[in-house]
Amino acid sequence: MKIGLNGNKLKIIAALSMTADHIGYMLLPEEVWLRAFGRLAFPLFAFFIFQGARYTHNKLKYLSGILGLGLLCVFGYYLYCGEIYTNALITFSLSICILYSINFFRKSLRENNSAKLFISCGAIIFSVLGTYFICKYLKADYGFPGAMLAVSAELSTLINIKGEREKDKKFALIGFAIGLIWLSCEMGGKQWLCLFSLPLLLLYDGTRGKLNMKYFFYWFYPVHLMAIGTVSMFL
């Protein structure tokens, strides 16, 4: 029997991991296993950011949806703590900007359009430098290596000149693994446990799943933070 995990199943694992991580951080800091399990969430969601940026039909809607929810969480956190916290959704929004510029470069290369190639190269440089400075001065969640994690998967697929789908997945996972090692080296400690996301991604069968759970996963982030924050206030 062939064992595989579709996109919905992997995202549910990521959502459970993220919930455990935030419960461990906000409610039960003595339960170290919650934070350890939580190391799976960011890389799993980052991989689907890589896929979403590549395959979405409405690129502006995709970016504005994630960025909008990220800014909503920034506002909510400011009301709750009085501090500005640039959460993972902001980090993913930066990733998407870089991914879009790389996809534009890939398209320009296929069309052999010199003008578009020049513009796309400028867009890549601008988005990468912009991401670096935002991560450095606004302290984006997971920092610059975190923003580049999804990008590392996209960059490695550029080697696959023929664009064969199976090879594309293999190259993407190789680049993603390198990105995870970079992230772990920068953050250290329990972050090395994020490498356990790779066996799960190797089981990814490339399908979404029967149900369209896109909006569930969009709203899960702010809603679960609100719920955990409310419980922490009463405790």
Side-chain angles (χ1 to χ4, degrees):
M1 183 178 70
K2 187 177 180 181
I3 300 174
L5 294 172
N6 60 42
N8 285 342
K9 290 177 181 177
L10 283 170
K11 287 178 184 177
I12 288 171
I13 293 172
L16 291 172
S17 169
M18 180 171 60
T19 304
D21 188 42
H22 290 148
I23 289 174
Y25 179 72
M26 299 177 72
L27 302 177
L28 301 169
E30 70 280 1
E31 300 293 338
V32 179
W33 69 271
L34 289 170
R35 303 301 311 279
F37 178 47
R39 298 309 95 208
L40 295 176
F42 186 81
L44 288 176
F45 280 126
F47 188 82
F48 285 102
I49 288 293
F50 148 68
Q51 288 218 312
R54 175 181 280 197
Y55 297 116
T56 185
H57 295 295
N58 192 329
K59 294 188 180 300
L60 181 60
K61 183 179 179 181
Y62 183 67
L63 173 59
S64 60
I66 292 175
L67 179 59
L69 283 175
L71 292 173
L72 179 65
C73 291
V74 170
F75 180 69
Y77 190 86
Y78 182 77
L79 290 178
Y80 178 69
C81 296
E83 298 176 0
I84 294 177
Y85 170 58
T86 44
N87 55 75
L89 292 178
I90 301 297
T91 305
F92 287 147
S93 299
L94 296 170
S95 303
I96 292 170
C97 290
I98 301 174
L99 289 167
Y100 282 176
S101 63
I102 294 172
N103 290 334
F104 180 38
F105 171 79
R106 188 194 294 268
K107 183 180 177 182
S108 304
L109 206 59
R110 286 198 302 265
E111 295 174 355
N112 197 23
N113 189 314
S114 300
K116 285 185 177 180
L117 272 172
F118 179 77
I119 294 171
S120 64
C121 287
I124 291 172
I125 294 169
F126 179 79
S127 58
V128 171
L129 288 177
T131 295
Y132 174 79
F133 285 111
I134 290 172
C135 290
K136 182 177 181 179
Y137 294 108
L138 295 183
K139 309 293 184 185
D141 209 9
Y142 289 89
F144 186 63
M148 293 300 291
L149 183 56
V151 178
S152 64
E154 181 65 49
L155 286 174
S156 61
T157 63
L158 293 173
I159 304 171
N160 184 20
I161 299 172
K162 294 182 180 179
E164 298 171 51
R165 196 171 183 84
E166 273 305 308
K167 285 186 177 180
D168 216 37
K169 180 186 175 184
K170 291 177 182 177
F171 282 122
L173 284 176
I174 290 170
F176 196 74
I178 295 170
L180 283 176
I181 293 170
W182 179 21
L183 178 64
S184 301
C185 287
E186 286 288 322
M187 299 189 70
K190 291 187 289 292
Q191 191 58 45
W192 283 99
L193 295 171
C194 71
L195 293 172
F196 283 103
S197 63
L198 290 173
L200 293 172
L201 290 171
L202 283 169
L203 294 173
Y204 177 44
D205 62 11
T207 65
R208 183 188 69 186
K210 293 181 180 180
L211 299 176
N212 185 355
M213 301 177 68
K214 179 175 70 173
Y215 292 106
F216 169 80
F217 293 118
Y218 271 17
W219 285 101
F220 183 83
Y221 187 86
V223 170
H224 95 281
L225 281 180
M226 190 184 303
I228 294 172
T230 302
V231 172
S232 70
M233 288 174 66
F234 285 104
L235 293 178

